[in-house]
Amino acid sequence: MSMSLGKAEINVTPLIDVLLVLIIIFMVVLPQHSAGLPAVVPQPASLDAEPVPNDQDIIVSVNRDRSISINQQPIAIERLQERLRAIFATRATRILFVRGHRDLDFQEIATVIDLAKGADVFQVGLMTE
């Protein structure tokens, strides 16, 4: 019997067993699905669909000085919810876009979203610059 000193082999079978046990533990511990808000992915428009005119879009802008405007028409924040109810009373789709200035805190934007939800507008999109 001779021993070769130049070759050393590592037995990897125990390492693979430990790895498989860890994978099984992580699969059991981690939840199968995460709970969160439902998100709707935008779908591409069909080829035969008519384009929707942009005059139907309602955009509420929160400017740098915290003034609010609906489609470039200034309005006081106290009258915003009332005005949104009047606008969406005759519309079939209740979609609102909110654009906020980049220097504002999200609290100002969240206030507008809250007022829109109070006016029964539940589909609110956020616009970026």
Side-chain angles (χ1 to χ4, degrees):
M1 265 187 2
S2 69
M3 291 181 55
S4 66
L5 297 175
K7 260 185 165 177
E9 292 185 24
I10 298 175
N11 189 3
V12 294
T13 305
L15 295 176
I16 292 174
D17 291 342
V18 170
L19 179 67
L20 289 175
V21 168
L22 286 175
I23 288 174
I24 291 171
I25 289 172
F26 283 125
M27 287 175 58
V28 170
V29 170
L30 293 178
Q32 294 298 325
H33 63 283
S34 61
L37 298 175
V40 180
V41 178
Q43 300 297 320
S46 62
L47 297 176
D48 59 345
E50 296 179 20
V52 178
N54 285 341
D55 61 346
Q56 291 183 355
D57 292 340
I58 302 297
I59 301 171
V60 176
S61 301
V62 183
N63 303 319
R64 173 182 260 173
D65 59 351
R66 292 178 176 79
S67 64
I68 297 175
S69 59
I70 299 176
N71 287 352
Q72 306 299 328
Q73 297 175 351
I75 188 166
I77 194 164
E78 296 83 18
R79 297 195 60 236
L80 179 64
Q81 188 172 15
E82 171 190 327
R83 180 71 180 126
L84 289 176
R85 280 192 188 172
I87 290 172
F88 287 107
T90 59
R91 294 178 178 259
T93 59
R94 294 177 173 262
I95 301 173
L96 175 72
F97 295 100
V98 178
R99 176 188 303 140
H101 194 272
R102 70 176 66 195
D103 293 337
L104 294 177
D105 290 333
F106 187 73
Q107 182 63 38
E108 282 86 12
I109 310 302
T111 303
V112 172
I113 294 172
D114 188 42
L115 290 172
K117 291 192 184 280
D120 296 330
V121 179
F122 295 105
Q123 292 182 336
V124 178
L126 297 177
M127 297 178 69
T128 59
E129 292 181 4

